[in-house]
Amino acid sequence: KPRDPLSLLRDARVAASTWVRSLVSKPARTEEPKPLPEEDSAVSGAISAFLAGVQIQPEADTRLVWVVYRHSNPQFAATAANALVDEYAAQNLELRVQNLKKLLTWVNAEVDKQGKLLSDVETAMANYRDVNDAISLENSQNIVGQRLTTLNEAALKASSARSIAETSYNQVRSADPTSDSADNFPAIGNAERVVNAK
């Protein structure tokens, strides 16, 4: 006799999730999934018995699937199918939060990098002025003036890049990873990993 569907699902979460993903992404395998190291024979048998009732049917030309669970008890079947969908959605949310954290780490590193670049350019400019007395030279008649102009342009570019990275960082930092509105920020919505996750 099958156990309570929720406790059975709790035991089968990892195996079922992997199995469901494999059904959606590639043709069904004939062999049963191997038990995980932490599973004993009873748990492995319960998982196999549970998975025997699962059917995943992709909808042609869409990214949607039908999740069907066949069982002699209709209430058990409905609870099992709904719980599988809920677990799959929860796992996708976890992956999305992880991707946002990785994106936040990257943006943070980019802000630091651009800030260091700006600081280096400003220091180089100040040293150049001091060593060559560049403040007293006219830009139109002197190579030193041209060099100073180049350094100023580099400083402006670095400052602009830092400002853009800082804006992205603040947007990502303030985003709620559990809300779809976070996708409205270009740094999140256009990120490769977020697009692939969708």
Side-chain angles (χ1 to χ4, degrees), residues 5-54:
L6 293 179
S7 63
L8 187 60
L9 281 173
R10 220 172 355 260
D11 292 339
R13 179 179 182 187
V14 174
S17 175
T18 304
W19 188 75
V20 168
R21 282 182 181 278
S22 70
L23 285 176
V24 173
S25 61
K26 48 188 166 184
R29 295 179 297 175
T30 52
E31 61 190 47
E32 289 186 11
K34 294 180 181 177
L36 297 172
E38 64 269 16
E39 292 176 8
D40 59 22
S41 58
V43 172
S44 180
I47 291 172
S48 296
F50 175 78
L51 292 179
V54 178

Side-chain angles (χ1 to χ4, degrees), residues 148-169:
L148 183 60
T149 301
T150 302
L151 287 172
N152 275 328
E153 288 174 357
L156 285 173
K157 284 181 183 176
S159 178
S160 174
R162 183 184 185 279
S163 177
I164 291 170
E166 189 171 20
T167 300
S168 295
Y169 168 78

Side-chain angles (χ1 to χ4, degrees), residues 111-122 154-155 157-158 161:
V111 167
D112 291 343
K113 185 168 109 182
Q114 293 300 330
K116 186 178 183 316
L117 179 61
L118 177 61
S119 176
D120 291 346
V121 169
E122 287 175 343
K157 284 181 183 176

Side-chain angles (χ1 to χ4, degrees), residues 118-138:
L118 177 61
S119 176
D120 291 346
V121 169
E122 287 175 343
T123 302
M125 242 176 20
N127 290 341
Y128 194 82
R129 282 184 189 143
D130 292 343
V131 171
N132 297 291
D133 195 22
I135 295 172
S136 63
L137 300 174
E138 291 183 14

